[in-house]
Amino acid sequence: MRAAGIKASQALPETVKIVEVGPRDGLQNEKVVVPTEAKINLINMLSESGLTVIEATSFVSPKWVPQMGDQVEVMKGIKKKPGVSYPVLTPNLRGFQAAVKAGASEVAIFGAASELFSKKNINCSVEESLQRFDEVMKAAKEAAVPVRGYVSCVVGCPYEGKVAPEKVAHVAKRLYSMGCYEISLGDTIGVGTPGSMTEMLEAVSREVPVSALAVHCHDTYGQALANILVALQMGISVVDSSVAGLGGCPYAQGASGNVATEDVVYMLHGLGIKTGVDLLKLMDAGSFICRALNRKTNSKVAQAACKL
Amino acid sequence: MGSIPTTVKHCLSYEQLFEDYPWLRRWLQEEKEIVPTGVKIQLIDMLSATGLSVVEATSFVSSKWVPQMADHTQVLQGIQRAPLTQYPVLTPNMQGFQDAVAAGATEVAVFGSASETFSRQNINCSIDESMLRFQEVINAAKERQIPVRGYVSCALGCPHEGRIEPSKVAEVAKRLYEMGCYEISLGDTIGVGTPGSMFKMLQMVKKDVPIDALAVHCHDTYGQALPNILTALQMGVSVVDSAVAGLGGCPYAPGSTGNVSTEDVLYMLHGMGIQTNVDLNKVIEAGDFICNALGRRTNSKVGQAKSGTL
């Protein structure tokens, strides 16, 4: 009931930074493998929409994630706009080295707040996974490459169920102390509500400064925008989202995953919050990638606007 | 600023899709088929069994305008009324009111608008003229001790006029309240509202109508319904309208969603520790039932997730 204490008149951030994860997190969870040129075109269109952070690709082994097989060509093929950052996922040192060689100037690493999730997905405990990233952090520091940290399962795990806020705070703190400049807290299966979100954010913000926190909400149960709103009310000013709501939920077939950037931007602008994003250009990028994927957009704003 | 209520009375209005508006008649003419009376009755009975305390059953409009509502009398007389549940019906005028009473209605609703253009386009009269009509209905209802709920449409935007001033919404809400409506449901008819505009509108309206007599009726056309409802709750509103399975699209953006789905609202409320006395699983079942009957997928994200969960 903590959300009850937050007033609707709470002062909200004047500006919110959107971290666009469509080209990586979004496409990674789409069945259709998109041609390299389409990925490059998407990223270029997103660059023109005013977004300042666009997660471009992932330096994982293509054996595991075929969609990211063209990671080097994408990284080298995009038109990097000045003032825009293009972070890439680097699951290990080899991935980091390949990323830097391909021109990456920002990387991201992943931890889970759930032991079972960590075990099932990368076959090691949470602590072991963080230790593996030690060498990535060291190399990144030497190369003066900023590192963003992700924590998954922050309000629920497909295997463990409810996740203790203290565990999330612990993992977030570890990543922050290791040197990550920002920690993105992910509601991986979208089960969070303003209630659990508030509880979790309170615990985490006791360990990591609010200015270094971001929320990565999934819309699987339709709660993403409400969850983002309470995060803003608690002082968070960085929001992850995916153009057209790309990327379904691997744990609920047919259900949605990432929240759509268009819908987030619509809400933020309606609140008088600046994002720097041109919603129409963003929607163009969304239409483009949906055509390439031969699928309907998951964005309600895009669905409504194109019919008027 | 009010704190979030511990209990939210839930008003369900799946029948909102069948409103007494000419544009809707045109839209319905493109719609597939009329839902059989038996299916409507079964849906309402299933909803009654979920714990919902208010289920808007039907609309006493002329079947010439809204063929889908032609069976209003059979529906009202066919449902099994749960002892603690209310079954309000729409009554746009005296004729509708009289038919509703004859059919056994014990609560009715009238529909005003905060937009002059919307009022003229849809019920062929100005806001002032519509208020006169409603006064007649409210007076007749008072004599029979039948409670009347008032709706204000276009509370956060109008498809014709665009932006609607919060003061206009407050003015119409106040009139309906002073005329005798026990509750005023503020509707974001085209779903364009955001927490920003919701906040400003409610700030204004609650100066003239007590917060516990206000309800929000949010459309999810732009995906904003849940954050808008959250904002309303944070301001002390404790009555929320929604539709099982998110039934009812938006006639102004064909193919887009309209009503927010009850399942998604309940998921949020329960997650916040707010009591509704409603069984979410039973609502999901009712949603599955009506979607099968309509041959369509649910608009509820909770419904979609639950059916796909491994």
Side-chain angles (χ1 to χ4, degrees):
Chain A
M1 280 285 282
R2 179 62 183 84
I6 296 174
K7 299 177 169 133
S9 62
Q10 194 83 16
L12 300 175
E14 276 179 21
T15 312
V16 161
K17 178 177 79 175
I18 304 242
V19 173
E20 172 58 51
V21 300
R24 200 282 305 170
D25 189 7
L27 289 182
Q28 188 168 303
N29 285 296
E30 293 283 332
K31 296 180 202 78
V32 173
V33 176
V34 172
T36 306
E37 205 179 295
K39 285 177 184 147
I40 289 171
N41 199 24
L42 171 65
I43 294 169
N44 290 343
M45 288 181 84
L46 291 169
S47 296
E48 289 310 309
S49 72
L51 289 159
T52 56
V53 186
I54 301 167
E55 198 173 67
T57 187
S58 178
F59 282 79
V60 299
S61 161
K63 188 174 62 174
W64 299 120
V65 188
Q67 182 79 273
M68 302 285 118
D70 54 4
Q71 59 213 198
V72 174
E73 296 96 305
V74 167
M75 215 48 212
K76 290 188 170 166
I78 56 176
K79 253 187 291 210
K80 293 193 191 183
K81 197 172 165 107
V84 181
S85 185
Y86 300 90
V88 299
L89 229 64
T90 51
N92 48 41
L93 186 61
R94 186 148 45 123
F96 175 80
Q97 287 159 344
V100 169
K101 193 160 168 221
S105 44
E106 183 178 325
V107 301
I109 61 173
F110 259 85
S114 153
E115 285 295 344
L116 258 179
F117 191 81
S118 192
K119 203 94 187 80
K120 292 252 178 182
N121 285 284
I122 51 177
N123 226 359
C124 62
S125 71
V126 172
E127 189 52 43
E128 281 166 349
S129 74
L130 294 176
Q131 279 163 16
R132 279 186 200 176
F133 285 124
D134 269 342
E135 32 178 27
V136 174
M137 294 308 302
K138 194 157 168 255
K141 238 178 230 162
E142 279 169 20
V145 169
V147 183
R148 189 182 206 234
Y150 281 96
V151 184
S152 53
C153 296
V154 299
V155 275
C157 167
Y159 311 109
E160 281 184 13
K162 185 164 157 60
V163 174
E166 295 67 38
K167 181 75 179 180
V168 184
H170 170 76
V171 177
K173 185 180 180 179
R174 280 280 277 123
L175 286 166
Y176 189 66
S177 324
M178 277 162 69
C180 293
Y181 76 91
E182 192 170 88
I183 312 300
S184 171
L185 304 163
D187 180 10
T188 306
I189 49 171
V191 290
T193 63
S196 53
M197 198 68 180
T198 312
E199 210 187 357
M200 181 275 296
L201 287 174
E202 280 191 325
V204 177
S205 57
R206 285 194 280 267
E207 307 293 341
V208 179
V210 152
S211 55
L213 293 176
V215 288
H216 183 113
C217 298
H218 277 197
D219 204 37
T220 317
Y221 289 78
Q223 309 295 304
L225 288 190
N227 291 343
I228 290 167
L229 180 59
V230 293
L232 296 173
Q233 290 173 336
M234 292 179 77
I236 296 204
S237 62
V238 185
V239 177
D240 297 4
S241 58
S242 175
V243 65
L246 293 183
C249 178
Y251 301 96
Q253 216 177 32
S256 61
N258 284 306
V259 67
T261 306
E262 298 91 319
D263 300 359
V264 174
V265 169
Y266 186 92
M267 180 175 80
L268 295 176
H269 289 183
L271 281 163
I273 294 173
K274 297 192 187 66
T275 63
V277 176
D278 180 330
L279 182 52
L280 291 175
K281 287 188 176 166
L282 179 64
M283 281 163 58
D284 283 344
S287 304
F288 165 76
I289 193 61
C290 286
R291 277 195 308 273
L293 286 164
N294 194 25
R295 57 158 286 179
K296 265 184 96 184
T297 181
N298 268 339
S299 156
K300 292 233 167 150
V301 168
Q303 281 166 28
C306 73
K307 298 298 194 333
L308 285 169
Chain B
M1 218 63 53
S3 59
I4 289 192
T6 51
T7 311
V8 165
K9 182 183 86 168
H10 217 74
C11 175
L12 187 64
S13 58
Y14 91 100
E15 297 284 5
Q16 281 315 116
L17 110 135
F18 312 127
E19 288 158 7
D20 173 24
Y21 295 126
W23 49 253
L24 183 62
R25 179 169 58 92
R26 283 193 297 274
W27 177 62
L28 277 177
Q29 277 161 3
E30 297 153 25
E31 256 297 1
K32 290 130 211 162
E33 45 203 73
I34 303 289
V35 175
T37 307
V39 170
K40 286 177 187 153
I41 289 172
Q42 191 172 343
L43 172 64
I44 295 170
D45 288 347
M46 287 180 84
L47 292 169
S48 297
T50 65
L52 284 160
S53 58
V54 186
V55 179
E56 198 173 69
T58 187
S59 180
F60 281 80
V61 301
S62 160
S63 54
K64 185 175 65 170
W65 297 117
V66 189
Q68 187 75 263
M69 297 287 103
D71 57 1
H72 40 60
T73 299
Q74 296 94 300
V75 167
L76 201 52
Q77 292 181 343
I79 56 175
Q80 263 162 337
R81 296 190 195 207
L84 297 174
T85 303
Q86 272 294 355
Y87 300 89
V89 298
L90 232 63
T91 51
N93 48 40
M94 273 309 288
Q95 180 66 64
F97 177 75
Q98 282 155 358
D99 292 344
V101 170
T106 49
E107 183 177 322
V108 301
V110 296
F111 232 94
S113 176
S115 156
E116 275 297 348
T117 314
F118 192 82
S119 190
R120 284 178 199 279
Q121 293 266 350
N122 289 284
I123 52 174
N124 260 331
C125 65
S126 69
I127 295 176
D128 279 346
E129 284 161 347
S130 73
M131 292 293 142
L132 289 174
R133 277 188 211 173
F134 300 147
Q135 186 72 80
E136 261 198 290
V137 171
I138 293 171
N139 289 344
K142 253 185 214 157
E143 278 170 25
R144 284 173 179 72
Q145 292 172 323
I146 290 178
V148 183
R149 190 182 207 235
Y151 283 92
V152 181
S153 61
C154 297
L156 295 177
C158 169
H160 313 292
E161 290 184 18
R163 190 181 141 70
I164 295 291
E165 285 302 324
S167 53
K168 187 68 185 179
V169 183
E171 185 196 309
V172 176
K174 183 181 180 181
R175 282 178 80 173
L176 285 167
Y177 186 67
E178 287 176 348
M179 274 162 48
C181 292
Y182 76 92
E183 193 170 89
I184 311 297
S185 172
L186 304 164
D188 181 11
T189 306
I190 49 171
V192 290
T194 63
S197 55
M198 174 62 91
F199 179 79
K200 289 188 184 126
M201 184 274 293
L202 284 176
Q203 279 278 65
M204 197 64 84
V205 176
K206 72 191 185 96
K207 286 186 188 150
D208 293 325
V209 180
I211 199 87
D212 53 15
L214 292 177
V216 289
H217 183 114
C218 297
H219 277 195
D220 204 36
T221 317
Y222 290 78
Q224 308 295 305
L226 286 191
N228 290 345
I229 290 166
L230 177 61
T231 300
L233 294 172
Q234 289 176 337
M235 294 175 79
V237 169
S238 63
V239 184
V240 177
D241 297 5
S242 59
V244 65
L247 290 183
C250 178
Y252 296 94
S256 294
T257 56
N259 285 308
V260 67
S261 53
T262 303
E263 298 91 317
D264 299 359
V265 173
L266 285 172
Y267 189 91
M268 181 175 80
L269 297 174
H270 293 176
M272 291 169 68
I274 294 174
Q275 280 178 54
T276 64
N277 299 320
V278 180
D279 183 333
L280 173 55
N281 288 327
K282 289 189 174 161
V283 177
I284 294 172
E285 277 170 28
D288 285 344
F289 164 75
I290 192 62
C291 287
N292 282 334
L294 288 168
R296 55 163 287 182
R297 211 184 166 206
T298 181
N299 271 335
S300 157
K301 290 243 167 144
V302 170
Q304 288 167 20
K306 293 283 188 191
S307 64
T309 305
L310 300 166

